[in-house]
Each structure stands twice: as C-alpha cells, then as structure tokens.
Amino acid sequence: RFAALVLERRGDRVLVEQRNRFFEGDELEMISPGLAPGQKLRVRGLTDEEGNPVRDAKRVQQRLLLPDGGLLQPLDMLRKKA
C-alpha cells in the first residue's frame, strides 16, 4: 500500500505527504530509482512541520518530516505491506 510521497529534502530529513495510514515504528519500503529494490526504512522521529511528534500518520495528505539517513529524493515513494 502506498504510504507517502517524498516532496523535498530538509537537511537529514525528508518532507513527505501522507497517502495511507502508517505508525511510528512501522517498516516502509523505499521506492526510488537510486536505490536497490526492497530497501526498508523504520519510521522513527516522525514529526509534523512544526516539530510536534506524530505517532499515527492518519490524516490524508498531511505533510510530515521523517529522518531517512539521506537516502530519499523528491518524488520517491514509501510503501507499506498491507
């Protein structure tokens, strides 16, 4: 299931737009032309744009910041197993 779309990089984090619900601690697959298939990202340190912690990304099209280790680029996608 398509979880989020990467909108932009902000330092060591990416701004994503939520598309389907995911939670702090979930493992998401990174879909990117620059990465080998099947690479995973554990959701940790998720915040809204104001820096407030978010444990449950449940608002469709909510914009969230997520640490990614510098791996993702704009228009990459995050996918969650159904």
Side-chain angles (χ1 to χ4, degrees):
R1 183 175 1 181
F2 178 35
L5 176 68
V6 177
L7 300 176
E8 65 184 57
R9 288 213 60 80
R10 291 192 182 172
D12 64 343
R13 300 160 70 88
V14 286
L15 178 68
V16 300
E17 185 177 82
Q18 186 268 12
R19 296 297 174 90
N20 282 292
R21 192 175 195 177
F22 61 94
F23 299 88
E24 179 86 10
D26 279 353
E27 187 174 74
L28 303 177
E29 181 181 1
M30 297 181 283
I31 310 295
S32 171
L35 298 173
Q39 290 197 36
K40 307 282 193 233
L41 173 69
R42 179 76 57 189
V43 178
R44 296 198 196 300
L46 188 65
T47 66
D48 64 17
E49 289 187 277
E50 289 76 41
N52 301 307
V54 175
R55 297 195 45 77
D56 181 357
K58 61 185 174 185
R59 292 181 40 220
V60 175
Q61 294 186 313
Q62 182 178 14
R63 293 162 58 107
L64 302 162
L65 289 164
L66 174 66
D68 75 325
L71 298 173
L72 294 167
Q73 297 300 319
L75 302 182
D76 289 349
M77 295 184 288
L78 296 169
R79 179 169 63 186
K80 181 179 176 180
K81 280 192 172 181

